[in-house]
Amino acid sequence: MTEFRTYAVSTAPEASKPLLEKAKTIYGFVPNLLGTMAEAPEILEGYMTLSGIFDKADFSETERQIILMTNNRLNGCEYCMAAHTSISQMAKVPAEIIEALRTNTPIADAKLEALRTFAGVINESRGWPSDAEVQAFLDAGYTRRHILDVILGTSLKVMSNYTNHIAETDIDKAFAPNAWSADQANAA
């Protein structure tokens, strides 16, 4: 496996330094994912920009985390599951929703479960949901805009999940208490 370096602000390529400084301001540290992405300033900038855009989507924080964590689980990204569990906890996403996302079990709230299901459909079908799957999502109270925003969140996770897979990114100490493995989702 090709080894990737995890950069600090001081060691990063020049174009990545301001982006890592911004991340350090936001998180209080430079997450290893972003330090790894710093190798290619374009992916780092793209990921950070797309993340900011996704935050503007017409979803609550809980709904955004449902989309992101569903993709993390389906893509088997241990780093992002740990990170987004921590982020979800800080954002006060209900613990039972976080647990459902980590273990691949249904969410009690029917609308949120429809979102979890549809995010999975978009991922697993590679963007080819059936008419019935789209209609079920719309019938749950979502809109055509939400369909496109699910695709946006899925796109964001392709960037981070695939980077972590290839680079075998180490989980940050801040996220380590929420370590996850695919076995947790398969045990459910």
Side-chain angles (χ1 to χ4, degrees):
M1 188 76 163
T2 302
E3 288 192 31
F4 282 79
R5 181 175 177 181
T6 302
Y7 291 92
V9 174
S10 62
T11 61
E14 284 303 314
S16 292
K17 287 181 179 182
L19 298 165
L20 293 183
E21 283 285 1
K22 180 179 177 183
K24 191 173 182 179
T25 300
I26 294 168
Y27 298 105
F29 67 100
V30 175
N32 288 338
L33 167 64
L34 303 181
T36 300
M37 285 180 164
E39 179 78 31
E42 300 78 13
I43 193 170
L44 177 60
E45 181 179 10
Y47 180 76
M48 291 178 70
T49 301
L50 192 57
S51 181
I53 292 168
F54 186 59
D55 285 345
K56 298 176 190 176
D58 187 30
F59 286 120
S60 68
E61 180 64 26
T62 295
E63 289 170 318
R64 285 193 303 275
Q65 291 303 322
I66 289 169
I67 295 163
L68 299 175
M69 287 183 68
T70 297
N71 277 280
N72 292 337
R73 179 186 53 76
L74 289 170
N75 292 336
C77 188
E78 294 179 2
Y79 179 96
C80 284
M81 282 299 281
H84 281 277
T85 297
S86 300
I87 292 165
S88 292
Q89 290 166 340
M90 290 186 289
K92 305 211 182 316
V93 173
E96 63 274 9
I97 292 176
I98 296 170
E99 185 63 19
L101 295 168
R102 288 173 60 90
T103 60
N104 190 29
T105 54
I107 297 171
D109 179 288
K111 185 175 183 183
L112 296 179
E113 176 57 18
L115 176 59
R116 185 185 79 88
T117 300
F118 190 72
V121 164
I122 290 296
N123 177 299
E124 292 178 318
S125 73
R126 303 300 183 252
W128 293 97
S130 70
D131 290 344
E133 290 164 331
V134 169
Q135 193 58 53
F137 184 64
L138 296 172
D139 289 347
Y142 290 104
T143 66
R144 291 185 313 275
R145 175 185 174 169
H146 291 120
I147 293 169
L148 299 175
D149 283 341
V150 168
I151 295 168
L152 176 64
T154 301
S155 301
L156 180 64
K157 291 288 81 190
V158 166
M159 295 171 78
S160 61
N161 295 167
Y162 290 12
T163 296
N164 289 322
H165 293 169
I166 289 173
E168 296 180 350
T169 310
D170 290 331
I171 296 174
D172 302 270
K173 288 180 186 175
F175 306 143
N178 290 310
W180 175 90
S181 73
D183 294 341
Q184 290 175 268
N186 296 333

